[in-house]
Amino acid sequence: MEKKTTESPDISIIIVNMNTEDWLKKCLKSIAKTKGDVSVEVIVVDNGSTDESEAVARSIFPDVIWLPQGENIGYVKANNVGMKAATGRFLMYLNNDTIMAPGCLHELIAFLDRTPEASGASPRICNPDGTDQGVARSFPTIMNGLFGRRSALTRLFPDNRWSRRFMTGRHYEGDEPLECDVLSAACLVVRTDLAKELGGFDEDFTLYWVDSELLGRMRRRGYKSYMLPRARITHFEGSGGSTSSFRQRCRMTIAFNRDSYLCYIKVLQLGPLDPRRLLAAGMLSARALLLMGAQLLRPGRATSSGGKN
């Protein structure tokens, strides 16, 4: 890691929170335990919590920057609120249902310090059982509407060429950084000055794929993004509360497919008359209807983006 030349923290960590004090406690404790000599600025943007989240956060990080919004302003807007307050050289978007492994922060910052062409990096994001979550990916094609990360077809045919080409991180066995088109804001580090220059997340999005769209804008500036297998974090996906009820899962299904469409047309910069827009809209609409049908039949198992990891 390069020697600091200013008093700015190495990294600002933005966590969006709403009534999830137990997960927030676990997440913050893991940061405090594993950060080592990395100087950390913790920013919690709170979307109207009524539990003890603030007291929990201050008990672990007394100097936490607590930004209460008084209401649920949404994930995307909340992250932009946090970005504007950030003073670190790097900016980490982090879900509160994550547990950081030792050395994770140091590995990410050291890599970005020595790789000026990199706009962003993420650790290998793992399921609780230690398997790769499949979120470090190539940009999806139309076929990944069928052979996606959590689709039934991918579970039936795990070695199909479309899924393997899409989920590059899951099938990567090396230890060196892997260049990827798509990384997950469950844990994503970007350069703070670049994120602010670009205006942060696109607020046309609800929740999903907004990280991919931001990396796409950075890529058009000539930057690259990487997954670092030596850095690790565990993500208890969905535990933050967005898919805890049948109604929420249906709402998130619509959001997922709508945001998928927005990401596809914005990253590829498709014009209004491009036939790929109509094709993507039709396939994603049909997918959303099928998933909501599955959720109606099996409300306890279905997820917003389809199936299991």
Side-chain angles (χ1 to χ4, degrees):
M1 192 185 308
E2 71 179 14
K3 186 177 180 179
K4 290 179 287 183
T5 57
T6 71
E7 295 301 318
S8 297
D10 291 317
I11 191 165
S12 299
I13 301 178
I14 300 174
I15 300 173
V16 176
N17 180 74
M18 182 179 174
N19 288 327
T20 51
E21 62 178 278
D22 290 339
W23 283 109
L24 183 63
K25 181 178 182 179
K26 293 174 184 177
C27 178
L28 293 178
K29 278 190 169 182
S30 77
I31 296 171
K33 183 178 179 181
T34 64
K35 69 184 184 69
D37 62 355
V38 174
S39 57
V40 171
E41 175 182 68
V42 176
I43 302 171
V44 178
V45 185
D46 188 75
N47 278 341
S49 291
T50 56
D51 62 4
E52 298 299 315
S53 289
E54 182 175 3
V56 164
R58 294 197 185 281
S59 71
I60 302 168
F61 284 95
D63 57 350
V64 63
I65 299 175
W66 187 266
L67 301 176
Q69 302 306 297
E71 62 179 346
N72 185 3
I73 65 170
Y75 175 79
V76 175
K77 289 183 179 180
N79 270 299
N80 283 344
V81 168
M83 177 199 67
K84 291 172 184 176
T87 64
R89 297 187 298 119
F90 300 106
L91 177 67
M92 173 182 276
Y93 298 105
L94 184 66
N95 282 15
N96 59 9
D97 54 353
T98 56
I99 303 295
M100 196 169 291
C104 180
L105 286 176
H106 187 279
E107 189 78 28
L108 289 162
I109 293 169
F111 172 77
L112 289 169
D113 274 337
R114 67 175 183 266
T115 315
E117 69 272 18
S119 61
S122 78
R124 185 182 287 279
I125 300 177
C126 299
N127 294 308
D129 64 2
T131 57
D132 187 284
Q133 205 158 83
V135 292
R137 293 165 277 181
S138 298
F139 192 73
T141 64
I142 292 292
M143 285 301 296
N144 292 123
L146 298 173
F147 294 93
R149 180 167 74 99
R150 300 165 112 184
S151 68
L153 287 175
T154 297
R155 294 200 305 278
L156 288 171
F157 306 103
D159 291 323
N160 74 83
R161 62 178 177 172
W162 297 286
S163 295
R164 291 186 66 88
R165 188 182 302 161
F166 177 46
M167 292 184 288
T168 52
R170 174 172 288 179
H171 299 285
Y172 180 64
E173 298 180 355
D175 287 331
E176 295 304 309
L178 173 68
E179 185 178 349
C180 299
D181 296 330
V182 175
L183 299 173
S184 171
C187 184
L188 171 63
V189 180
V190 296
R191 299 182 185 277
T192 305
D193 56 352
L194 180 59
K196 289 188 175 185
E197 181 184 345
L198 292 173
F201 285 159
D202 184 336
E203 295 186 5
D204 286 346
F205 289 76
T206 303
L207 176 64
Y208 301 98
W209 292 101
V210 66
D211 36 23
S212 305
E213 192 279 332
L214 176 60
L215 290 175
R217 277 184 280 149
M218 292 178 174
R219 192 161 53 250
R220 289 198 292 275
R221 294 281 189 98
Y223 289 96
K224 301 176 181 179
S225 51
Y226 296 84
M227 186 271 287
L228 310 185
R230 291 193 181 99
R232 298 229 169 189
I233 197 166
T234 301
H235 183 207
F236 297 82
E237 190 170 16
S239 297
S242 64
T243 57
S244 60
S245 72
F246 172 65
R247 182 178 180 182
Q248 286 173 318
R249 284 192 289 272
C250 285
R251 186 185 303 121
M252 290 299 100
T253 293
I254 295 171
F256 179 89
N257 288 279
R258 174 188 174 276
D259 287 354
S260 297
Y261 172 75
L262 283 177
C263 182
Y264 186 71
I265 65 171
K266 289 192 177 203
V267 171
L268 296 184
Q269 297 184 289
L270 303 181
L273 300 180
D274 194 306
R276 288 174 292 178
R277 291 178 68 123
L278 182 60
L279 179 61
M283 290 188 69
L284 287 166
S285 296
R287 183 178 184 275
L289 289 172
L290 286 171
L291 285 174
M292 286 189 286
Q295 289 161 355
L296 181 63
L297 294 173
R298 299 190 302 174
R301 294 186 62 189
T303 63
S304 59
S305 51
K308 296 183 178 181
N309 289 318

